[in-house]
Amino acid sequence: MDGNASGEDYENIDWDTEDELEIQNIVPSTCSNLVTRNASIVGNGEASSSAGPSNPNLLQHFLGMGFSEQLIVKAIKENGEANTESILESLLTYAALEDSPDELNPCHLNSPQQQQCVDNGQLSSDYDESFLDDISESDSWSGSEVAKPKISIGANGGLKKRKLYELELWKRKKRKGLINEEDDVLRLPNPMIGFGVPTDTMVVTHRTLPEAAIGPPFFYYENVALAPKGVWDTISRFLYDVQPEFVDSKYFCATARKRGYVHNLPIHNRFPLLPLPPRTINDALPLTKRWWPEWDKRTKLNCLQTVIGSAKLTDRIRKALEKWGDDPPLHVQKYVIEECRKWNLVWVGKNKLAPLEPDEFEMLLGFPRNHTRGGGISRTDRYKSLGNSFQDMFPNGLNLLSLFSGIGGAEVALHRLGIPLKNVVSVEISEANRDIVRSWWEQTNQKGNLIHLADVQQLNGDRLEQFMGSFGGFDLIVGGSPCNNLAGSNRVSRDGLEGEQSSLFYDYFRILDLVKCIMNKQQ
DNA sequence: GACAGCATGACTCAAATT
DNA sequence: AATTTGAGTCATGCTGTC
């Protein structure tokens, strides 16, 4: 569990798609032939789609995964535009057959010289001293041990294999109806408290990060913990083999939220963000106590989602309860409790249940009151933004790159920690959410500079270099990529990490890796 | 250990209504 | 244009039982 694999042991794995057992054992980190090649930093997003297919989004989609335009066009020609799955399969086949990676778009490879130029002396000139103090003793960051970040995941080579791996898993699943996993998959901890939660003493205070993962920059990635099997393994392998930290927020607040985080932040001396949030439903919503029947034993709410229970439902429940006195029969209790759990209903009157209000969402998630209110956002949107929001709890950062910002969970948390935000590049597709963050930014009198972008796929090496040239690198890169295709509530398109939205995870990785390369280059 | 039963889930879509 | 409503599934992990 120490996530110490450097990747070097795995360089010589023979990729054999026919052998399922071997596929299971792939740890796709280092592709030495790719890493040592000398290549300039070129964002793959900048490949323009001049001669592309009629649907530029489709091209962008696959460009974002790291395939070259040439191959994508070819694959689309062969399969037609409609069937993205077979396009992907073709691309993977080309990629697997491809021995000379030059033909694939080499998006961001650093030269050997660039790899060795990180040392503490140079760092301290670039970073605020207090910030460095905070991290100088942490983890694998000891003064003499010079961090020598090796970009171990060499773009497309690793990508191909991983994609193939996922695809194979998926195929097997389809074929057999179930899979017999080996024991090398990540297990969720129980209790799900990660390295420790604010109200507890720290369980783990030290870990050894893989060398390639060590900052700068620091990164912090988030998504739902209960993703389909194999998803977190893939995420972890992409993010430099850092082991995820799984945390359920029910251990420090009144509502459950099971999430996984892959980050390279120091974990010693964590402290709670004050004031502590209410720990129980009763504390969070004291007015409900009066109406709470003794047979409803809930003390914590379930995960706040993007949809809420209907008025009809609470009406049906009220009618069902009114038939009985103060002590409804067990089967009625059971029915009511089931609906309460399913829809996170709370008691607001005699026999009256209600879904939570957006205000209550904000409070339970630790956002300022009215954070998502007004300014053109509808109530439906508000629930959607809040249900999708990124709730987090720990610090660090001055120049921030925030991908999939949502309503600014990371920004708000950093601000509450008293950390000044100098330059924030925030990428968020939803205009409503961008408005929310912008308005928060203005209301909290931020002195820094907020740069908003809409599309993560448009953020290429050139733009990053521009930003980083003007203010000298990012300290922290946070992001929670879309969970739509991972979340259990999705009955329609729970397609895993390759799903339409959730595959944007690869853009998180792409951009993180680009930033690492550029920072090495700019030393 | 095998097994059944149970609880859980940053959801999507379309149709109807306001 | 926003809101309300209901219908729609299943992977995963936990617990208790044998």
Side-chain angles (χ1 to χ4, degrees):
Chain A
M1 269 297 276
D2 65 356
N4 215 359
S6 70
E8 285 171 28
D9 300 337
Y10 305 96
E11 283 173 8
N12 298 320
I13 284 175
D14 177 30
W15 183 258
D16 181 355
T17 55
E18 300 304 309
D19 187 339
E20 294 179 354
L21 284 177
E22 268 194 55
I23 291 169
Q24 296 264 325
N25 289 327
I26 287 293
V27 180
S29 46
T30 302
C31 294
S32 57
N33 59 326
L34 288 177
V35 173
T36 50
R37 280 193 314 126
N38 213 342
S40 59
I41 295 168
V42 183
N44 60 355
E46 67 196 295
S48 71
S49 51
S50 50
S54 60
N55 181 355
N57 287 337
L58 196 61
L59 180 63
Q60 277 304 323
H61 176 73
F62 289 112
L63 281 174
M65 291 185 186
F67 296 107
S68 77
E69 181 169 348
Q70 184 195 347
L71 290 184
I72 297 168
V73 172
K74 185 175 163 197
I76 292 175
K77 237 179 236 170
E78 276 179 21
N79 297 285
E81 290 194 10
N83 195 343
T84 51
E85 216 161 74
S86 57
I87 295 172
L88 178 59
E89 201 159 338
S90 291
L91 284 167
L92 291 165
T93 311
Y94 305 152
L97 294 174
E98 183 61 76
D99 270 335
S100 129
D102 282 300
E103 231 189 271
L104 291 159
N105 190 3
C107 65
H108 49 279
L109 302 168
N110 54 343
S111 66
Q113 309 89 285
Q114 286 159 6
Q115 287 174 26
Q116 353 176 314
C117 51
V118 178
D119 68 50
N120 273 351
Q122 279 181 293
L123 281 170
S124 42
S125 62
D126 277 339
Y127 290 82
D128 189 288
E129 290 297 331
S130 60
F131 178 65
L132 257 191
D133 283 345
D134 211 53
I135 58 172
S136 54
E137 312 163 10
S138 72
D139 304 336
S140 316
W141 188 282
S142 53
S144 57
E145 180 68 38
V146 171
K148 218 192 311 182
K150 226 179 358 182
I151 304 304
S152 66
I153 302 181
N156 298 304
L159 212 77
K160 284 182 287 186
K161 291 185 179 179
R162 250 152 272 149
K163 298 249 173 211
L164 223 47
Y165 167 79
E166 296 255 316
L167 196 72
E168 282 305 314
L169 266 186
W170 178 80
K171 276 183 184 167
R172 288 169 58 202
K173 212 183 275 182
K174 286 270 173 184
R175 204 161 52 227
K176 295 180 185 171
L178 78 164
I179 31 173
N180 290 320
E181 285 296 331
E182 306 299 320
D183 287 87
D184 59 355
V185 291
L186 282 170
R187 301 273 303 173
L188 296 173
N190 185 17
M192 197 184 277
I193 53 174
F195 301 129
V197 290
T199 47
D200 244 310
T201 49
M202 280 294 281
V203 181
V204 181
T205 54
H206 185 268
R207 63 168 171 170
T208 308
L209 287 168
E211 225 179 86
I214 296 170
F218 286 96
F219 67 90
Y220 185 75
Y221 174 82
E222 179 255 12
N223 216 319
V224 291
L226 280 60
K229 263 189 178 166
V231 166
W232 276 105
D233 299 81
T234 307
I235 290 172
S236 168
R237 280 197 306 273
F238 267 80
L239 300 178
Y240 313 101
D241 284 322
V242 175
Q243 295 301 300
E245 176 176 14
F246 292 104
V247 180
D248 186 341
S249 67
K250 76 177 177 185
Y251 293 107
F252 57 89
C253 79
T255 181
R257 232 173 150 75
K258 298 176 191 65
R259 293 293 180 270
Y261 306 86
V262 175
H263 64 86
N264 64 350
L265 298 173
I267 61 172
H268 73 309
N269 292 341
R270 272 191 195 174
F271 58 92
L273 191 46
L274 298 172
L276 288 174
R279 302 279 314 268
T280 62
I281 300 176
N282 188 17
D283 290 342
L285 306 161
L287 294 178
T288 63
K289 185 185 173 67
R290 174 160 180 228
W291 308 107
W292 209 276
E294 54 86 24
W295 45 267
D296 182 350
K297 306 289 187 198
R298 291 175 301 156
T299 59
K300 305 277 184 179
L301 294 161
N302 279 340
C303 188
L304 307 187
Q305 307 212 36
T306 59
V307 285
I308 59 166
S310 66
K312 295 259 194 226
L313 171 68
T314 54
D315 193 48
R316 283 196 298 272
I317 294 175
R318 183 175 54 83
K319 290 197 169 100
L321 285 170
E322 278 174 351
K323 283 193 216 149
W324 316 93
D326 286 339
D327 252 333
L330 279 180
H331 73 273
V332 176
Q333 293 182 14
K334 187 163 176 276
Y335 157 70
V336 174
I337 293 293
E338 201 179 298
E339 297 297 330
C340 284
R341 288 181 180 281
K342 194 191 309 182
W343 295 105
N344 261 335
L345 304 174
V346 294
W347 297 92
V348 295
K350 187 173 171 59
N351 297 332
K352 279 207 306 185
L353 283 157
L356 295 165
E357 291 293 310
D359 289 0
E360 293 164 333
F361 269 48
E362 286 171 348
M363 180 266 296
L364 288 162
L365 293 173
F367 284 98
R369 192 169 183 100
N370 293 331
H371 184 64
T372 59
R373 189 178 185 186
I377 189 172
S378 74
R379 227 176 117 84
T380 313
D381 287 344
R382 211 175 156 195
Y383 277 116
K384 194 168 165 152
S385 295
L386 282 160
N388 280 324
S389 82
F390 175 123
Q391 173 195 30
D392 74 340
M393 55 189 221
F394 50 84
N396 284 337
L398 300 163
N399 286 333
L400 176 69
L401 176 56
S402 172
L403 305 175
F404 316 102
S405 309
I407 55 176
E411 289 85 340
V412 172
L414 290 165
H415 178 64
R416 285 187 59 195
L417 280 161
I419 296 174
L421 299 169
K422 286 205 298 206
N423 293 284
V424 176
V425 175
S426 163
V427 189
E428 167 58 40
I429 195 78
S430 149
E431 190 184 349
N433 286 346
R434 287 199 304 275
D435 288 345
I436 288 169
V437 173
R438 166 76 56 194
S439 131
W440 170 83
W441 187 265
E442 282 158 11
Q443 281 169 30
T444 49
N445 295 315
Q446 296 289 330
K447 299 286 180 270
N449 185 24
L450 174 65
I451 301 163
H452 256 145
L453 305 174
D455 187 359
V456 80
Q457 303 197 30
Q458 302 296 317
L459 184 53
N460 59 28
D462 276 354
R463 297 207 69 178
L464 277 170
E465 269 189 297
Q466 262 174 27
F467 291 134
M468 293 166 68
S470 69
F471 49 75
F474 290 104
D475 303 307
L476 175 63
I477 301 169
V478 298
S481 58
C483 67
N484 312 26
N485 312 115
L486 309 179
S489 320
N490 189 343
R491 280 87 141 160
V492 179
S493 54
R494 195 184 188 186
D495 302 332
L497 205 53
E498 309 307 323
E500 189 184 346
Q501 286 85 25
S502 292
S503 59
L504 290 173
F505 159 73
Y506 295 109
D507 283 279
Y508 181 88
F509 159 72
R510 176 179 66 83
I511 290 166
L512 172 60
D513 209 31
L514 267 172
V515 170
K516 272 176 172 277
C517 288
I518 296 171
M519 283 176 76
N520 284 347
K521 205 177 87 169
Q522 287 183 346
Q523 289 300 315

